[in-house]
Amino acid sequence: MSDANRDLAALIRTIPDFPRPGILFRDVTTLLLDPVGLARAVEHIIDAVEEPVDLVAGIEARGFLFATPVAIALGAGVLLVRKDGKLPGATIAEDYALEYGTDRIAIHADACAPDARVLLIDDLIATGGTARAAVRLLRKAGARVTQAAFVIDLPDLGGADALRAEGVAVSALVAFPGH
């Protein structure tokens, strides 16, 4: 990890036993409170983008916070990937597995033009369930999703590798061991 990324990692709070015992929750809200750290995180995400993009898709909710400034810098629009039932109007949706059950994410049916180049962004990738569902959903809408960026990767949980196996280049600013 570079010194710059170590500085960013130091701004991310770890909360033990949240949301349940044994989990080390990596909390970006402390990074968001630091204007210099936040600006650096956004700059590093922008620097990692490998190809031109038409849209930056942010996954609810903290992904929105990083997707918006990245989209502005790249001259792209912002596409919201939300939990099902949160968007007005016609939507398309995708189910994905959770540890105990399923969940569903959605986008507006008209949010993505066919063949649009989309960069996917979220604050953290763990198992990759939500990110992989977002890629399937965007591709169902006709998008080309070939890159994804995260502030945090939990590599021991395999989500980034799962996305790479689906043809998506993955970048993350910091990696934390464990779960």
Side-chain angles (χ1 to χ4, degrees):
M1 188 180 321
S2 72
D3 288 341
N5 289 2
R6 256 190 290 286
D7 291 345
L8 290 175
L11 294 172
I12 297 167
R13 173 174 49 190
T14 299
I15 301 174
D17 299 320
F18 183 82
R20 60 182 184 267
I23 301 294
L24 294 173
F25 184 81
R26 306 303 178 162
D27 182 18
V28 296
T29 61
T30 47
L31 169 64
L32 295 169
L33 289 167
D34 186 289
V36 173
L38 176 59
R40 284 189 183 141
V42 170
E43 289 168 11
H44 290 305
I45 291 170
I46 293 164
D47 290 344
V49 175
E50 298 174 350
E51 303 171 354
V53 298
D54 301 308
L55 296 168
V56 178
I59 298 175
E60 185 170 348
R62 290 176 298 269
F64 298 168
L65 301 172
F66 295 97
T68 300
V70 169
I72 291 168
L74 296 176
V78 175
L79 189 156
L80 303 179
V81 179
R82 301 226 43 202
K83 293 183 184 212
D84 195 31
K86 300 277 188 165
L87 293 169
T91 62
I92 58 173
E94 181 75 22
D95 294 325
Y96 63 100
L98 298 170
E99 188 174 353
Y100 301 104
T102 62
D103 210 343
R104 189 171 174 91
I105 54 173
I107 62 172
H108 279 119
D110 62 355
C112 181
D115 217 29
R117 300 165 298 181
V118 178
L119 166 66
L120 182 66
I121 291 186
D122 204 357
D123 66 317
L124 181 139
I125 185 159
T127 64
T130 307
R132 290 175 56 225
V135 168
R136 288 191 308 272
L137 176 59
L138 292 163
R139 287 177 174 166
K140 187 186 325 184
R144 286 188 289 142
V145 185
T146 59
Q147 21 183 5
F150 303 90
V151 176
I152 301 167
D153 180 18
L154 303 179
D156 295 346
L157 297 179
D161 287 337
L163 268 184
R164 288 182 189 106
E166 294 187 21
V168 179
V170 176
S171 65
L173 304 183
V174 297
F176 290 105
H179 53 288

